[in-house]
Amino acid sequence: MSPSPVLPPPPVYVAGIGADGWSGLSGGAREALREAEVVIGGARQLDLLPPECAGVRVAWPSPLRPAVPRLLAEHRERRIAVLASGDPMFYGIGRALAEELGPEALRVLPHPSSVSYACARLGWPLEDTEVVTLVGRPVSRLAVSLHEGRRLLALSADASTPATVAALLTAHGFGPSRMRVLEQLGSEAEAYVEGVAESWAHAPGDRLNVIAIDCRASADALRLGAVPGLPDEAYEHDGQLTKRHIRAATLGALAPAPGELLWDVGGGSGSIAIEWMRTHVSCRAVSVERDPARAERITRNADRLGVPGLRVVTGPAPSSLSELSELDVPDAVFIGGGLTAPGLLDACWEALRPGGRLVANTVTLESEALLAERYRTYGGELTRLAVAHAVPVGGFTGWRQAMPVTQWSVRKPSPPASLPGDRT
């Protein structure tokens, strides 16, 4: 007798639910929830279900993400439905479930997200509206999106978020911005309040809210553009700062792309790593700085300029790099200081992934000789960058030359592709 085939476990249904609760669900979502033997969701979401959903109700614990594998495994042979806020695949639990089970094991039943509701109420085109989530994330990450005339939607963590956002806008020179807080979108209790950030005085309202921001800068706000080369005065520093024009050229050579990781070795004020991360929300960076005071300064700069996710490692290079290379392989490495430290350049080159980029800057003859030697060995580009600024000379104006910077940029070769029939 042949063995019975092993049947795959039933798919996991992921149903989006809004503030309107059961009445706002589609027929397919209601059917999935009625037939589920286990329903997993937040306590507030579970309370929205009627008695006809007879499955065992399991509330997500906190922290949620580590509990996902355990709860799914515990109930895997039963019919599972998971409740999510709005669209499960938009900053929702759907991502974690897809990573854990694979997309083929899911049946996602989306509901309009709070962002869709907000744009509908405001008359804002969704494709022209930037969304920043502050749920479980620092409010400072909103700073990177502040530009005159932009429309932003901030997903609130709780009822206190609007006041915190108003304070951040004011501190960054965007106090004149109009704010509207939209609560309980899609439900019968839907409401909103509005005001100006610098005079925001509304008491905390409902914790389910979205903040709409019409960005308006004050006349004296420091202008921070969307490309590398922020003004030097945007940074707190002690002189250890890659200056604006050299920084723009350096980021151009590093060529950041979405999702890539940078090691910034000899971080100074953190400007290279910070502006790398500002190019795209998914860009990541680690700044290595041996001086503890400077390392703390890098953290403050990153927080103020909207990239609080910058990781700062305090310690000397290259010894601090060995631990980093065990965690993730960098796509690019910038060396802004300490080039003559024994083994530093070799350690950075070895850590770099094939196809990755290395850029090193120096102003000293000793380090320049080292870069020239590596240029002869590995190729790439060796460039002399010189910048002069106009300054008063008595009653006239003349040029003041900054120290020239020698820059070596190189791409690490990828291993040759194997040809058909090759044997190793």
Side-chain angles (χ1 to χ4, degrees):
M1 174 181 276
S2 59
S4 300
V6 178
L7 298 176
V12 173
Y13 283 85
V14 189
I17 190 168
D20 49 358
W22 182 256
S23 64
L25 294 177
S26 66
R30 292 184 185 185
E31 182 181 358
L33 290 165
R34 288 191 193 101
E35 294 183 354
E37 297 173 279
V38 177
V39 182
I40 306 175
R44 179 188 60 82
Q45 297 163 340
L46 293 172
D47 287 343
L48 296 173
L49 299 183
E52 63 194 87
C53 296
V56 176
R57 302 186 185 190
V58 179
W60 289 114
S62 181
L64 184 154
R65 187 60 180 89
V68 171
R70 175 180 60 80
L71 284 180
L72 291 176
E74 186 176 330
H75 302 288
R76 194 66 186 99
E77 300 306 318
R78 308 169 77 182
R79 293 192 300 275
I80 300 175
V82 176
L83 289 172
S85 295
D87 187 340
M89 304 308 296
F90 186 72
Y91 294 113
I93 190 63
R95 175 175 181 168
L97 295 174
E99 291 173 352
E100 188 65 32
L101 299 175
E104 66 282 351
L106 302 180
R107 302 292 185 271
V108 180
L109 307 168
H111 184 278
S113 69
S114 59
V115 167
S116 294
Y117 274 121
C119 285
R121 301 295 185 265
L122 298 164
W124 290 2
L126 187 57
E127 68 272 17
D128 293 336
T129 303
E130 186 173 353
V131 180
V132 181
T133 180
L134 305 178
V135 180
R137 296 168 173 85
V139 72
S140 58
R141 69 194 304 267
L142 186 65
V144 77
S145 301
L146 299 180
H147 301 284
E148 174 68 30
R150 290 291 290 165
R151 290 170 168 175
L152 307 178
L153 288 178
L155 308 183
S156 283
D158 53 37
S160 69
T161 305
T164 306
V165 166
L168 179 138
L169 292 170
T170 303
H172 283 74
F174 281 80
S177 299
R178 180 188 184 189
M179 288 176 51
R180 282 169 281 184
V181 179
L182 298 92
E183 302 174 345
Q184 288 282 344
L185 283 163
S187 77
E188 294 182 357
E190 185 175 311
Y192 84 95
V193 295
E194 68 173 296
V196 175
E198 60 194 1
S199 58
W200 189 260
H202 292 288
D206 195 276
R207 68 184 187 88
L208 290 179
N209 70 82
V210 175
I211 308 168
I213 305 166
D214 286 285
C215 292
R216 293 292 179 270
S218 59
D220 58 350
L222 181 64
R223 180 176 175 83
L224 303 181
V227 298
L230 299 184
D232 293 345
E233 54 266 38
Y235 292 93
E236 177 190 348
H237 65 91
D238 61 359
Q240 290 297 313
L241 173 71
T242 302
K243 299 302 190 291
R244 181 179 194 174
H245 298 91
I246 302 300
R247 191 183 330 126
T250 300
L251 267 296
L254 287 167
E260 289 191 326
L261 171 66
L262 170 74
W263 285 4
D264 177 12
V265 182
S269 301
S271 61
I272 296 295
I274 288 169
E275 296 193 27
W276 167 282
M277 292 183 68
R278 281 175 60 93
T279 63
H280 194 271
V281 67
S282 65
C283 282
R284 300 166 294 139
V286 179
S287 187
V288 180
E289 172 55 54
R290 66 181 303 159
D291 184 276
R294 287 177 180 162
E296 292 177 3
R297 190 177 293 120
I298 291 171
T299 299
R300 291 194 297 271
N301 282 330
D303 190 66
R304 188 173 61 256
L305 291 170
V307 287
L310 172 61
R311 181 182 174 191
V312 182
V313 173
T314 306
S319 58
S320 297
L321 304 181
S322 56
E323 178 184 344
L324 291 180
S325 60
E326 296 175 1
L327 300 175
D328 205 349
V329 177
D331 300 284
V333 175
F334 171 65
I335 307 175
L339 270 170
T340 56
L344 174 59
L345 198 48
D346 289 333
C348 291
W349 183 256
E350 288 301 318
L352 190 64
R353 71 163 177 83
R357 293 89 61 203
L358 186 146
V359 177
N361 290 355
T362 188
V363 296
T364 70
L365 293 175
E366 291 79 7
S367 294
E368 184 178 284
L370 179 62
L371 294 184
E373 186 273 327
R374 296 307 172 93
Y375 169 69
R376 288 191 295 270
T377 302
Y378 296 109
E381 292 185 1
L382 197 62
T383 307
R384 175 69 61 84
L385 303 172
V387 178
H389 296 276
V391 296
V393 180
F396 299 92
T397 304
W399 292 107
R400 176 171 294 166
Q401 185 76 39
M403 291 184 69
V405 175
T406 298
Q407 181 181 93
W408 178 48
S409 61
V410 63
R411 184 175 181 270
K412 187 174 182 179
S414 298
S418 298
L419 296 174
D422 280 359
R423 295 176 179 269
T424 55

